[in-house]
DNA sequence: AATACATGTAACTTTAAAAGTTTCATGTAT
DNA sequence: ATACATGAAACTTTTAAAGTTACATGTATT
């Protein structure tokens, strides 16, 4: 099962965007994430649809933050990326009349719902500006303002 | 991403095994789960390695419970199946020196670890005998003792 | 001993969704 | 007109569970 690294990637990118003057192009973000510009556009499109970023076409265009980092939580980005299940664990659906399958699935689902609720609650408590601690120091010591290594 | 339905399937099978007189063959379990005997053997092998079931080769052989259902928790079976990650969410590993990637991954990992801890705690609180409620009634009303529909 | 049955295991193919890629249309600043 | 950048369609690749095929090994019955 391939892991979904979109949340991790988008958070990284959003925070770097906050330190830039102009728009960030998909090309530069792709280089930073060691991936393809189309993957960046595809994923960023979800965030644009929810109003967290804006995109501008053409010369000098690119992506910019539309909302301050302090107003965006991990939960916001997680939900913007779609409501796919957070768990690799799935429930069977072969004997919907079987009381054992029903009881088993109920027990697993109950535990998963509680765990997911806690996960989302934790995501909700973290705004993106809280993740920038120590960046200024690092930037001065190691490399230029560009997020590209 | 394909879901891992092994936990759900194995729990269903184990509880049905408790209602049988003799051993259950991989063939019958496969029919019950709408799958292949080899898939059953492969998955059951994990439970045998941890001592929850026993297998007997040859004529009249098959699988039997080695421990009472009241002594097995969802957590036991979950862990017996291997320690693969419970989440579809993955962390990036492209800029291990970047303080932002570090902070982002730390925040996501922290939330996931708390959520997983809660999930496993819930799994630990449910023994398999608690999932059999109402099965006797159902069995009498709907079909023969065989777990095969 | 022969047979039927059942597990054990190796070596594949299939599946689903994110990720990756190629290609071209559209829009915009210089 | 040109260079730059997003938008989007139409693919291929990747990963681990699931599924499949084939055969060796072991065991109860006859
Ligand atoms: S398959 Fe569970 S009761 Fe028939
Ligand atoms: S890529 Fe995050 S600081 Fe350079």
């Amino acid at each position: 099962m391939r892991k979904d690294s979109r949340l991790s990637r988008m958070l990284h990118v959003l925070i770097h965007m906050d330190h830039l003057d102009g728009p960030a192009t998909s090309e530069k973000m792709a280089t930073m994430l060691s991936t393809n510009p189309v993957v960046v556009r595809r994923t960023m499109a979800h965030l644009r649809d929810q109003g967290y970023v804006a995109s501008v076409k053409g010369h000098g265009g690119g992506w910019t933050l539309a909302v301050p980092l302090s107003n965006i939580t991990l939960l916001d980005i997680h939900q913007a990326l779609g409501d796919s299940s957070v768990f690799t664990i799935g429930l069977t659906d072969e004997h919907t009349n079987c009381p054992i399958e029903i009881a088993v699935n109920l027990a697993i689902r109950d535990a998963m719902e509680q765990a997911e609720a806690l996960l989302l609650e934790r995501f909700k408590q973290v705004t993106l500006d809280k993740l920038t601690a120590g960046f200024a120091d690092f930037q001065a010591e190691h490399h230029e303002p560009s997020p590209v290594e």
Side-chain angles (χ1 to χ4, degrees), chain A:
Chain A
M1 225 180 261
R2 173 170 280 208
K3 293 287 180 174
D4 183 350
S5 62
R6 292 179 300 167
L7 177 60
S8 181
R9 280 178 156 179
M10 288 301 101
L11 293 176
H12 191 174
V13 156
L14 287 173
I15 295 171
H16 271 297
M17 282 169 66
D18 193 47
H19 296 281
L20 298 177
D21 291 333
T25 65
S26 302
E27 181 66 40
K28 286 189 177 180
M29 295 163 100
T31 302
M32 169 182 156
L33 296 174
S34 306
T35 181
N36 192 289
V38 178
V39 172
V40 173
R41 290 192 193 107
R42 184 192 294 156
T43 315
M44 290 290 287
H46 287 109
L47 308 192
R48 183 195 54 218
D49 292 345
Q50 299 303 315
Y52 300 116
V53 297
S55 60
V56 173
K57 282 183 171 183
H59 196 121
W63 301 85
T64 50
L65 277 172
V67 172
L69 290 188
S70 56
N71 287 11
I72 307 177
T73 65
L74 298 205
L75 179 60
D76 291 331
I77 304 304
H78 170 71
Q79 291 182 331
L81 293 175
D83 53 349
S84 59
S85 171
V86 167
F87 295 101
T88 57
I89 297 175
L91 304 179
T92 55
D93 191 23
E94 288 147 357
H95 295 268
T96 51
N97 290 331
C98 170
I100 293 180
E101 180 177 275
I102 293 172
V104 164
N105 285 348
L106 199 65
I108 298 176
R109 187 184 295 113
D110 185 55
M112 289 202 298
E113 285 179 355
Q114 288 187 40
E116 180 163 5
L118 178 59
L119 181 76
L120 300 188
E121 179 57 33
R122 289 288 173 270
F123 278 176
K124 193 176 184 178
Q125 290 171 353
V126 183
T127 54
L128 300 201
D129 62 317
K130 292 179 183 169
L131 303 176
T132 61
F135 179 66
D137 299 343
F138 172 83
Q139 202 174 43
E141 291 171 28
H142 297 81
H143 60 186
E144 292 300 300
S146 163
V148 180
E149 292 282 2

